[in-house]
């Protein structure tokens, strides 16, 4: 398909007048002292309070943010980054190529909208990114007299409440959505952590709004569970054949029993009716078949410490606090012969799609939004604007290779690794499951290639930061499920800072061991 040569110009032309205004203010702001620049925040807040109009503050607030960024981080926003910020402030999605500085772009609309004193939420996909961005970008906000908050998984109630009260709060999509569910279960206002919603900027918006849009987020509570039936149902499932006793609907992850299957199960269980309301077997049987036919170890879950731990399909990370509902988790526990825990029922539930539509003002950024442009506009009323790059793109985007089966594909990847390894060029291979990552690792062993493996298994998770930090090292091969995290920086040549820190840590530990012995 031919690209429209006027697309980039149109978004630039749309905001060119504002860009010119922002640039015109730069020289006047440069001569201000740090205190004078900080006082600009209080002046803009006062102006907003009187006029109740953010549009009149855009140019000055963006210019102030750029100057503060230069003084604190040494980073000056390019004009294309100003365009990205203006697009975000307009309630749209900024599609920016990898490495174009989306994190820095978000500071522009965040500072502007924080002037309302109603709060801004910047949502990222994992705790690491939320923490990293709050520490680095927070320097700009604090320099300008605003305070920042950070929500992390292990935070207590009061800490969460205080961090949400900040002018700008960095939080993951998972944490903010579950805090909303918990707030809706609260019996009084003192138990609520979230303030009223105002403005939200979502990083990696395609991952959250499209890939995970319909995944239900559920808070559940324990109910009485008939454990024996799960054990029996798991044994029954072993005697059933696909397409004979049941059919599999993989798209909807559902199981449909055939008449022959129903008769066979009733015969094995010696019951007259699987659907008997006084002694129902059908939910246990269906869950047991789903556990066998649709859910697989090292793909959808791992077994750790005699427990079934779910693996997030989108991030590749393990989720020890999550459990499948409607008896599925118990069925998987019965299949893997681990202790069966109590069943649960839903106390509160919401999808990301419904949750984020609660924000009065919403915007997002990602490197890949155009492919889902229709869904963004139809479901979220968020137009997508493609932001031009600051410099011409030198990366070569090669066409895809498609193979007729999985083994041929992985063998070809292993051969390609062997070929590239001769040049010492670092290689990063992304896989979707733990199983695939380990299969490729075995293939590389056959080719006598050394590699680092990063997947959801505990022994690999412990070395995550080390593996990611050194993925750019000369001659390295890194296999990773997508758990390594979007936005994680990989430095070509390897991360020397990390190496020095690790070496220093080892020396100190060794010294401490010698002194205590």
């Amino acid at each position: 398909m031919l690209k429209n040569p006027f697309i980039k110009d149109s978004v630039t032309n749309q905001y060119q007048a504002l860009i010119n205004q922002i640039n015109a203010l730069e020289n006047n702001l440069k001569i201000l002292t740090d205190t004078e620049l900080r006082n600009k925040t209080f002046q803009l807040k006062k102006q907003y309070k009187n006029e109740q109009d953010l549009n009149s503050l855009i140019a000055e607030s963006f210019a102030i943010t750029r100057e503060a960024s230069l003084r604190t981080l040494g980073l000056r926003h390019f004009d294309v980054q100003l365009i990205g910020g203006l697009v975000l402030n307009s309630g749209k999605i900024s599609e920016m190529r990898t490495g174009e500085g989306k994190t820095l772009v978000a500071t522009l609309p965040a500072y502007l909208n924080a002037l309302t004193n109603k709060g801004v939420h910047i949502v990222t996909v994992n705790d690491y990114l939320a923490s990293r961005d709050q520490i680095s970008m927070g320097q700009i906000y604090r320099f300008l007299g605003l305070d920042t908050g950070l929500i992390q998984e292990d935070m207590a109630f009061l800490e969460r409440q205080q961090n949400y009260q900040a002018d700008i709060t960095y939080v993951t999509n998972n944490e903010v959505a579950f805090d909303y569910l918990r707030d809706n279960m609260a019996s009084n206002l003192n138990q609520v952590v979230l303030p009223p919603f105002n403005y939200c900027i979502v990083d990696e918006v395609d991952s959250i709004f499209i890939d995970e849009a319909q995944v239900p987020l559920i808070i559940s509570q324990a109910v009485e569970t008939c454990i024996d039936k799960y054990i029996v149902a798991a044994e029954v499932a072993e005697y059933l054949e696909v397409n004979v006793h049941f059919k599999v609907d993989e798209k909807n992850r559902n199981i449909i029993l055939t008449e022959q299957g129903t008769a066979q199960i009733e015969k094995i269980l010696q019951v007259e009716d699987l659907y008997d309301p006084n002694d129902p077997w059908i939910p246990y049987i269906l869950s047991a078949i789903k556990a066998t036919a649709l859910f697989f170890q090292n793909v959808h879950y791992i077994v750790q410490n005699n427990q079934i731990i779910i693996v997030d399909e989108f991030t590749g990370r393990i989720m020890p606090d999550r459990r499948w509902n409607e008896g599925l988790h118990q069925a998987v526990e019965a299949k893997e012969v681990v202790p069966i825990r109590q069943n649960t029922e839903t106390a509160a539930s919401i999808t990301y799609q419904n949750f984020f539509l609660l924000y009065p003002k919403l915007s997002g950024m990602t490197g890949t939004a155009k492919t889902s442009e229709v869904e963004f506009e139809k479901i979220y009323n968020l137009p997508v604007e493609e932001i031009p790059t600051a410099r011409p793109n030198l990366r070569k985007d090669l066409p895809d290779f498609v193979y007729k089966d999985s083994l041929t594909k992985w063998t070809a990847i292993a051969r390609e690794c062997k070929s590239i390894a001769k040049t010492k060029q670092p290689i990063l291979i992304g896989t979707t499951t733990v199983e695939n990552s380990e299969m490729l690792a075995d293939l590389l062993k056959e080719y006598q290639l050394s590699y680092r493996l990063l997947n959801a298994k505990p022994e690999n998770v412990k070395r995550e930061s080390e593996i990611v930090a050194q993925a750019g090292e000369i001659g390295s091969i890194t296999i990773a499920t997508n758990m390594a995290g979007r936005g994680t920086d990989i430095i070509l040549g390897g991360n020397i800072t990390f190496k020095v820190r690790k070496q220093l840590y080892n020396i100190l530990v060794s010294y401490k061991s010698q002194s205590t012995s």
Side-chain angles (χ1 to χ4, degrees):
M1 188 173 72
L2 290 174
K3 291 183 179 178
N4 184 342
F6 302 105
I7 286 178
K8 288 186 179 180
D9 289 339
S10 66
V11 69
T12 304
N13 293 339
Q14 188 179 343
Y15 295 106
Q16 192 59 56
L18 269 171
I19 299 295
N20 292 340
Q21 287 178 46
I22 295 164
N23 288 334
L25 293 167
E26 189 168 17
N27 287 334
N28 291 334
L29 292 175
K30 278 187 180 300
I31 60 175
L32 297 180
T33 64
D34 289 355
T35 304
E36 287 171 335
L37 190 63
R38 190 175 297 110
N39 285 337
K40 286 283 184 182
T41 298
F42 305 108
Q43 291 170 20
L44 291 179
K45 280 188 174 184
K46 189 176 180 182
Q47 188 178 333
Y48 173 78
K49 193 175 181 181
N50 294 332
E51 298 175 4
Q52 293 294 302
D53 179 24
L54 271 184
N55 291 332
S56 62
L57 310 180
I58 291 174
E60 193 171 0
S61 74
F62 273 45
I64 290 167
T65 307
R66 176 154 74 175
E67 182 59 28
S69 174
L70 187 60
R71 294 189 190 188
T72 55
L73 303 177
L75 300 173
R76 178 187 176 276
H77 298 75
F78 291 108
D79 282 4
V80 290
Q81 290 177 311
L82 296 179
I83 294 171
L86 291 167
V87 166
L88 289 176
N89 186 58
S90 302
K92 299 178 183 178
I93 291 172
S94 283
E95 181 185 87
M96 301 182 73
R97 302 293 284 271
T98 303
E100 288 297 297
K102 293 189 290 290
T103 307
L104 189 64
V105 166
T107 60
L108 298 162
Y111 173 72
L112 170 63
N113 285 270
L115 297 172
T116 63
N117 287 327
K118 295 176 184 175
V120 174
H121 292 167
I122 300 180
V123 174
T124 66
V125 290
N126 61 48
D127 276 352
Y128 162 74
L129 289 178
S131 175
R132 183 200 71 177
D133 294 351
Q134 190 263 348
I135 291 167
S136 58
M137 300 301 119
Q139 295 176 64
I140 299 172
Y141 309 126
R142 288 188 288 273
F143 179 84
L144 291 170
L146 299 179
D147 58 335
T148 61
L150 172 66
I151 304 297
Q152 298 276 269
E153 186 178 3
D154 53 359
M155 277 186 176
F157 170 80
L158 282 175
E159 205 175 354
R160 284 174 182 268
Q161 203 173 44
Q162 288 163 4
N163 277 279
Y164 277 124
Q165 293 302 321
D167 295 306
I168 297 160
T169 304
Y170 284 85
V171 60
T172 65
N173 48 303
N174 189 57
E175 291 300 317
V176 70
F178 272 107
D179 281 334
Y180 174 78
L181 288 180
R182 283 187 284 266
D183 281 359
N184 275 272
M185 294 169 66
S187 54
N188 63 67
L189 286 174
N190 294 329
Q191 297 172 335
V192 171
V193 296
L194 282 163
F197 290 152
N198 175 41
Y199 176 48
C200 181
I201 303 169
V202 181
D203 192 10
E204 304 298 354
V205 68
D206 55 326
S207 171
I208 299 168
F209 283 12
I210 304 296
D211 299 346
E212 299 184 60
Q214 293 298 325
V215 176
L217 304 168
I218 296 167
I219 290 180
S220 53
Q221 51 198 21
V223 293
E224 192 176 338
T225 305
C226 186
I227 289 171
D228 290 345
K229 282 192 171 183
Y230 284 110
I231 296 169
V232 173
E235 292 173 357
V236 170
E238 293 178 11
Y239 293 95
L240 305 178
E241 292 181 37
V242 67
N243 295 328
V244 177
H245 301 112
F246 64 89
K247 295 186 184 298
V248 178
D249 179 359
E250 289 191 22
K251 184 180 178 183
N252 296 309
R253 284 199 177 166
N254 200 13
I255 296 296
I256 302 153
L257 278 181
T258 62
E259 286 186 18
Q260 189 178 343
T262 303
Q264 173 79 348
I265 295 163
E266 287 174 347
K267 183 180 176 183
I268 294 171
L269 293 174
Q270 296 181 345
V271 297
E272 292 184 5
D273 184 7
L274 292 178
Y275 298 85
D276 182 355
N278 297 318
D279 185 23
W281 272 96
I282 193 64
Y284 301 95
I285 295 296
L286 289 178
S287 292
I289 300 171
K290 280 182 189 178
T292 305
L294 290 169
F295 291 82
F296 305 105
Q297 186 174 347
N298 290 339
V299 177
H300 303 101
Y301 63 90
I302 61 171
V303 179
Q304 181 185 336
N305 298 330
N306 254 356
Q307 290 185 357
I308 302 299
I309 310 292
I310 298 174
V311 175
D312 190 310
E313 290 180 56
F314 303 103
T315 66
R317 294 181 179 276
I318 59 171
M319 302 187 292
D321 298 326
R322 298 266 195 99
R323 288 176 65 78
W324 289 303
N325 61 353
E326 296 179 349
L328 177 60
H329 210 100
Q330 286 73 19
V332 175
E333 287 169 333
K335 179 182 92 169
E336 297 294 346
V337 197
V338 300
I340 298 172
R341 290 155 66 189
Q342 290 292 306
N343 206 343
T344 57
E345 64 180 9
T346 301
S349 175
I350 197 168
T351 62
Y352 285 130
Q353 182 176 308
N354 291 333
F355 171 73
F356 281 102
L357 287 170
L358 296 170
Y359 282 90
K361 185 174 181 180
L362 182 63
S363 63
M365 49 191 184
T366 182
T368 50
K370 277 290 180 183
T371 50
S372 306
E373 187 173 15
V374 175
E375 291 97 317
F376 282 129
E377 192 135 18
K378 187 177 177 183
I379 299 168
Y380 301 97
N381 194 26
L382 290 172
V384 177
E385 294 283 9
E386 193 176 353
I387 311 300
T389 54
R391 293 180 182 176
N393 188 17
L394 298 178
R395 186 184 68 234
K396 293 178 183 176
D397 291 330
L398 302 174
D400 295 336
F401 281 101
V402 179
Y403 295 88
K404 64 180 181 180
D405 59 63
S406 178
L407 183 60
T408 312
K409 178 183 75 172
W410 292 115
T411 306
I413 290 170
R415 282 204 201 102
E416 183 74 5
C417 287
K418 187 172 178 64
S419 173
I420 295 172
K422 293 172 184 174
T423 69
K424 298 289 184 183
Q425 183 181 347
I427 305 168
L428 174 63
I429 308 161
T431 68
T432 52
T433 66
V434 174
E435 190 177 46
N436 284 341
S437 68
E438 292 185 334
M439 181 177 72
L440 180 59
D442 289 338
L443 279 171
L444 293 184
K445 269 183 199 169
E446 289 181 22
Y447 282 91
Q448 297 181 330
L449 295 172
S450 59
Y451 59 85
R452 294 186 182 98
L453 177 63
L454 176 57
N455 58 30
K457 289 204 167 174
E459 61 269 26
N460 297 319
V461 172
K462 287 175 184 175
R463 296 179 56 237
E464 179 178 356
S465 58
E466 179 190 347
I467 293 169
V468 174
Q470 302 308 334
E473 202 171 39
I474 293 171
S476 70
I477 300 176
T478 307
I479 306 168
T481 56
N482 46 358
M483 70 164 288
R486 290 163 167 254
T488 305
D489 295 325
I490 296 173
I491 300 169
L492 286 177
N495 192 326
I496 189 66
T497 307
F498 188 93
K499 273 186 174 178
V500 170
R501 281 181 184 166
K502 190 186 176 196
Q503 192 65 32
L504 185 60
Y505 174 79
N506 290 339
I507 292 167
L508 290 171
V509 169
S510 173
Y511 177 76
K512 189 177 179 183
S513 301
Q514 288 172 10
S515 60
T516 53
S517 59

